[in-house]
Amino acid sequence: MENKKTLFSAVQPSGILTLGNYVGAISNWKRLIEEYDCIYALADLHTLTVKQVPAELRAHSYELAALYISCGIDPEKCILFCQSHVHEHAELTWILNTMTYPGELQRMTQFKDKSKSHSDNVNMGLMDYPVLMASDILLYNAHLVPVGADQKQHLELTRDLAIRFNSRYSDTFVVPEPYIAKTGAKIMSLQDPEKKMSKSDANVNAFISMNDDRDTIIKKFKRAVTDSGNEIRADESKPGITNLLTIYCCVTGKELCDAEKEFDGVGYGNFKIAVGEAVADLIEPVRCEKDRILSDKSYLDKVFADGALRAEHIARKTLSKVYRKVGLVERKF
Ligand code: TYM
């Protein structure tokens, strides 16, 4: 384990994950597990920035942990934990809040978008969300943060805060690098390829859920919006086909140019079915394994307990250092 760099990432248990979350984030997590000391969290505190049904949030948290494990995130090989179990995340957020300016948070694209889509509940947490995310990352001195393209702006703020703290109080935090994959960092809606695929989309045909069965997946791909013309080629004038080709390549591991050749002369209808089949082949075993793991809650509770202890050990050290540097009296009892 020595000399490895640290990697941190998280997903919100705000619903059942989509194919976008899988391709943009989780699929990279497993690949990086041997190379880095990996810390993966369930960002449950983040979910409270929009209204949640408490029982559903709890159920989604167990389900997300089971999904991580079924995707190959082995809790023996990394730290897997629940953000709310390690109180240092909320504490570091307070310290970082005192050095973050409202303007920096108000200009965040996600804050602006969510303020519109949740206009009845624009709360302080929604605005402060990126500072909690910065705390998640900085507490573990992560070097690398694998995320989808929509989190890039939050990563930039994290870097700014680390640099600001370091220059005000001397070197403390590692300044993290984002890891945004070249292909698949932004999987688009199947109904509107100009929009990101999102689990909160009102139209269920717009996204593939990691809980969808084979028939549903194929039906959704058959209904996917395509473009004019009949050529299967990735380019800017063909956002629908490009998105489908990207999905196909991400789930099969093929290169775009090879996929274009494979579907040369094939009609849109058959192409969409082929993409659906490839996605179903990937999701089905993951879903079955997830359901198997989910049936053993006591195992998941053990994973959470073990993960929290290991995460807390690192987080506590960083937070004590931060408290000392900003001038708080050291706790000696
Ligand atoms: P969340 O839960 O919205 O999304 C989880 C991950 O999925 C990626 N993603 C996508 N990638 C490709 N195409 C899409 N359509 C798509 N939709 C989502 C996201 O970029 C993300 O990587 N704030 C984070 C969770 C978080 C976090 C952190 C991440 C909390 N603390 C610290 C990294 C480090 C979020 O809401 O992700």
Side-chain angles (χ1 to χ4, degrees):
M1 290 289 261
E2 260 154 59
N3 297 327
K4 279 189 186 170
K5 289 189 171 173
T6 302
L7 178 153
F8 183 96
S9 200
V11 171
Q12 295 188 72
S14 50
I16 305 305
L17 291 205
T18 67
L19 180 67
N21 299 125
Y22 177 82
V23 166
I26 297 184
S27 65
N28 296 313
W29 295 9
K30 187 184 166 195
R31 265 190 320 106
L32 295 162
I33 233 166
E34 304 293 340
E35 208 181 318
Y36 289 84
D37 279 339
C38 293
I39 305 175
Y40 295 127
L42 276 73
D44 54 351
L45 293 173
H46 275 104
T47 65
L48 299 175
T49 57
V50 304
K51 283 182 193 151
Q52 299 289 336
V53 177
E56 285 179 10
L57 172 58
R58 233 182 317 275
H60 286 146
S61 298
Y62 280 104
E63 188 152 14
L64 179 58
L67 191 65
Y68 280 4
I69 299 169
S70 66
C71 289
I73 313 296
D74 180 351
E76 305 276 320
K77 291 193 179 162
C78 64
I79 298 180
L80 195 169
F81 77 108
C82 230
Q83 182 191 39
S84 63
H85 291 169
V86 180
H87 56 72
E88 283 79 0
H89 290 247
E91 292 180 66
L92 182 59
T93 302
W94 176 253
I95 302 290
L96 295 180
N97 270 339
T98 65
M99 23 199 329
T100 310
Y101 306 107
E104 289 179 295
L105 300 177
Q106 278 156 344
R107 69 179 168 75
M108 291 282 149
T109 309
Q110 195 171 81
F111 172 64
K112 288 196 260 183
D113 288 350
K114 286 201 174 168
S115 297
K116 274 191 214 140
S117 55
H118 299 275
S119 55
D120 59 332
N121 183 27
V122 183
N123 58 77
M124 288 304 293
L126 194 60
M127 191 164 126
D128 205 29
Y129 179 113
V131 183
L132 178 58
M133 181 163 159
S135 302
D136 295 341
I137 298 165
L138 299 182
L139 268 180
Y140 301 96
N141 280 310
H143 299 86
L144 199 71
V145 184
V147 283
D150 62 336
Q151 299 298 319
K152 189 165 177 259
Q153 210 182 19
H154 295 160
L155 254 295
E156 279 159 12
L157 179 78
T158 304
R159 289 171 56 85
D160 288 347
L161 290 176
I163 293 168
R164 196 170 300 164
F165 190 98
N166 289 351
S167 63
R168 201 178 286 182
Y169 297 106
S170 81
D171 230 16
T172 308
F173 294 122
V174 168
V175 181
E177 294 290 337
Y179 175 97
I180 298 173
K182 269 196 256 120
T183 315
K186 196 169 185 189
I187 298 296
M188 309 310 277
S189 153
L190 297 184
Q191 291 297 311
D192 176 358
E194 306 288 342
K195 241 174 63 184
K196 184 183 85 164
M197 182 183 282
S198 163
K199 53 190 165 231
S200 54
D201 204 307
N203 182 353
V204 292
N205 288 319
F207 60 88
I208 299 293
S209 151
M210 294 300 284
N211 262 355
D212 284 344
D213 61 27
R214 178 171 284 271
D215 282 354
T216 309
I217 293 171
I218 291 173
K219 232 181 260 160
K220 286 185 181 181
F221 275 101
K222 278 187 182 165
R223 289 192 185 136
V225 169
T226 45
D227 315 289
S228 54
N230 54 13
E231 227 184 317
I232 296 173
R233 173 167 49 81
D235 84 39
E236 269 169 32
S237 66
K238 291 179 152 274
I241 292 294
T242 303
N243 189 38
L244 296 179
L245 271 172
T246 304
I247 292 173
Y248 182 74
C249 289
C250 288
V251 302
T252 58
K254 293 182 182 168
E255 296 292 331
L256 264 179
C257 54
D258 294 332
E260 283 174 342
K261 271 187 219 137
E262 184 179 339
F263 293 112
D264 187 26
V266 174
Y268 279 179
N270 285 338
F271 167 59
K272 291 199 278 186
I273 293 172
V275 180
E277 298 277 3
V279 170
D281 286 348
L282 171 99
I283 290 184
E284 260 197 338
V286 170
R287 183 170 49 87
C288 293
E289 179 62 0
K290 186 257 301 170
D291 288 341
R292 190 190 66 76
I293 297 167
L294 194 55
S295 65
D296 189 356
K297 284 261 172 67
S298 63
Y299 164 70
L300 289 171
D301 281 329
K302 257 182 37 216
V303 169
F304 283 149
D306 176 58
L309 279 177
R310 291 161 64 205
E312 190 177 44
H313 180 73
I314 306 169
R316 194 175 284 167
K317 268 199 209 152
T318 310
L319 189 71
S320 309
K321 197 165 165 191
V322 167
Y323 277 4
R324 204 170 54 244
K325 291 218 183 178
V326 301
L328 302 181
V329 173
E330 211 172 325
R331 186 179 159 162
K332 294 195 174 135
F333 51 91

